């Protein structure tokens, strides 16, 4: 992809997903740029990058920590987290992937896993799942919203660990299915890069997600990890999607199998499960989000004033707002 044809890198997020009306949604793009260090969509935005490796390894360490049982990853991407999961030697490693090109790479990854691998066929792509008793890695092809894919995932579960990291979607939409897939006592984590371009909004959204998960029987805490992403990492890309030197890693555990499923809140402008992607990814529970956002803004106001109005870093926002979180996950 020629760097000269791309706009300058910015920390301002696109208002819409995809970034503008002329851009084809990710799952409708037949091809993408896959280099050693990045996976890029047709708009010049990175879907995933190699610098995320330490984060993906930390996610895998958590969801695989207490069991060599069944682990599900939703979203293969560059295969970084699946490589980390495979090193824990789970009894069954399931990958759910929607993008056709990425599905092919996920299938090649599965065949490389010790003990062989097969490709499941729920939803888009068809095909049928291998039935060998030695099967250790299975790829389920199609969007996780598809009824066929959900049925196949349920037939493979329940899972001891689940990780969620998809593009142009949010973990909130996945919660109802999660409750059908994760066993009591199981572990759940997700790529936590929502509301990324304002540290206070990101911390507030993390607190909001913790509050959304609690009534579902999922206790959640966050581990702050330090990281360093050199500025040149973003060269040739349309967007710097993570301008922070810290990351809040979600550590969730399911405690109550009889919890009430999430109420059916509607996402503004969303379509049917198998239709086009929703144009907005705003929090589903507006009142809860407003409360968490206001609390975090209030907690960090003095910090901003003391630094001549400069926006706080994520580390500082977390330090000021940590008392708003509860539990030990």
């Amino acid at each position: 992809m020629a760097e000269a044809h791309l706009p300058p890198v910015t920390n301002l997020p696109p208002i819409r997903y995809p970034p503008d009306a002329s851009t084809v949604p990710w799952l409708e793009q037949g091809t993408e740029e896959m280099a050693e260090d990045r996976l890029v969509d047709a708009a010049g935005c990175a879907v995933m990058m190699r610098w995320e490796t330490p984060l993906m390894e930390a996610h895998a360490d958590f969801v695989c920590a207490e069991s060599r049982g069944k682990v599900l990853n939703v979203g293969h991407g560059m295969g970084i987290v699946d490589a980390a999961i495979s090193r824990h030697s789970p009894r069954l490693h399931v990958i759910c992937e929607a993008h056709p090109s990425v599905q092919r790479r996920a299938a090649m990854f599965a065949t490389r896993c010790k003990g062989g691998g097969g490709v499941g066929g729920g939803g888009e792509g068809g095909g049928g799942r291998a039935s060998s008793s030695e099967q250790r890695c299975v790829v389920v092809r199609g969007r996780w919203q598809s009824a066929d894919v959900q049925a196949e995932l349920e037939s493979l579960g329940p899972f001891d660990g689940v990780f969620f990291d998809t593009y142009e979607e949010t973990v909130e939409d996945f919660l109802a299915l999660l409750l059908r897939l994760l066993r009591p006592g199981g572990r759940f984590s997700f790529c936590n890069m929502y509301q990324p371009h304002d540290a206070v909004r990101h911390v507030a959204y993390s607190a909001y997600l913790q509050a959304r998960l609690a009534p579902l029987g999922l206790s959640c805490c966050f581990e702050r990890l330090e990281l360093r992403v050199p500025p040149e990492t973003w060269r040739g890309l349309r967007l710097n999607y993570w301008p922070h030197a810290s990351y809040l890693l979600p550590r969730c555990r399911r405690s109550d199998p009889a919890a009430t499923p999430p109420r059916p809140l509607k996402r503004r402008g969303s379509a049917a499960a198998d239709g086009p992607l929703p144009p907005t990814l705003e929090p589903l529970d507006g009142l809860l989000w407003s409360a968490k956002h206001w609390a975090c803004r209030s907690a960090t106001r003095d910090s901003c004033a003391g630094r001549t109005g400069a926006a706080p870093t994520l580390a500082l926002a977390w330090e000021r707002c940590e008392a708003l979180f509860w539990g030990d996950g």
Side-chain angles (χ1 to χ4, degrees), residues 304-328:
C304 295
R307 300 170 69 232
T308 64
T313 63
L314 195 153
L316 181 59
W318 172 253
E319 177 185 322
R320 295 290 188 271
C321 300
E322 193 172 2
L324 301 174
F325 293 73
W326 63 86
D328 58 5

Side-chain angles (χ1 to χ4, degrees), residues 2-170:
E3 183 175 335
H5 298 298
L6 295 174
V9 173
T10 174
N11 285 338
L12 296 176
I15 296 174
R16 294 173 63 86
Y17 291 80
D20 55 62
S22 64
T23 303
V24 176
W26 166 243
L27 293 184
E28 296 176 19
Q29 296 174 22
T31 60
E32 79 295 324
E33 177 192 334
M34 177 67 174
E36 178 61 28
D37 63 341
R38 61 182 66 177
L39 175 63
V40 181
D41 70 8
C45 297
V47 177
M48 191 173 196
M49 300 183 74
R50 187 67 60 187
W51 68 261
E52 296 180 40
T53 297
L55 305 183
M56 295 298 109
E57 290 175 342
H59 281 293
D61 288 346
F62 174 71
V63 298
C64 300
E66 294 178 353
S67 171
R68 292 184 61 183
K70 299 180 179 182
V71 179
L72 166 66
N73 172 42
V74 182
H76 182 66
M78 295 175 66
I80 299 172
V81 75
D82 285 307
I85 288 171
S86 70
R87 288 194 286 271
H88 288 270
S89 301
R91 178 164 51 92
L92 176 64
H93 178 182
V94 178
I95 303 167
C96 180
E97 176 54 51
H99 193 283
S101 295
V102 181
Q103 287 172 4
R104 290 191 287 272
R105 287 197 296 273
M108 289 188 288
F109 171 87
T111 62
R112 292 195 301 268
C113 289
K114 184 178 179 180
V119 180
E124 305 155 33
R129 176 163 47 90
S131 59
S132 168
S133 60
E134 296 182 353
Q135 184 70 45
R136 291 187 60 247
C137 188
V138 174
V139 178
V140 177
R141 297 183 293 182
R143 292 187 65 188
W144 60 264
Q145 295 94 333
S146 162
D148 290 340
V149 168
Q150 292 184 8
E152 182 164 8
L153 292 176
E154 288 188 78
S155 74
L156 292 165
F159 294 94
D160 302 282
V162 176
F163 180 63
F164 180 87
D165 181 12
T166 64
Y167 190 58
E168 299 178 333
E169 297 174 339
T170 174

Side-chain angles (χ1 to χ4, degrees), residues 52-64 81 162-163 187-193 202 206 209-210 213 219-227 242 246-252 314 318 325 328-329:
E52 296 180 40
T53 297
L55 305 183
M56 295 298 109
E57 290 175 342
H59 281 293
D61 288 346
F62 174 71
V63 298
C64 300
V81 75
V162 176
F163 180 63
R187 293 176 170 229
F188 172 59
S189 193
F190 54 91
C191 184
N192 186 26
M193 293 186 181
H202 174 69
S206 298
L209 287 174
Q210 184 190 54
L213 290 165
S219 61
C220 181
C221 69
F222 293 87
E223 176 186 4
R224 183 165 68 89
L225 304 179
E226 301 300 321
L227 53 91
W242 194 250
S246 302
Y247 177 78
L248 303 181
L249 187 142
R251 301 165 59 93
C252 312
L314 195 153
W318 172 253
F325 293 73
D328 58 5

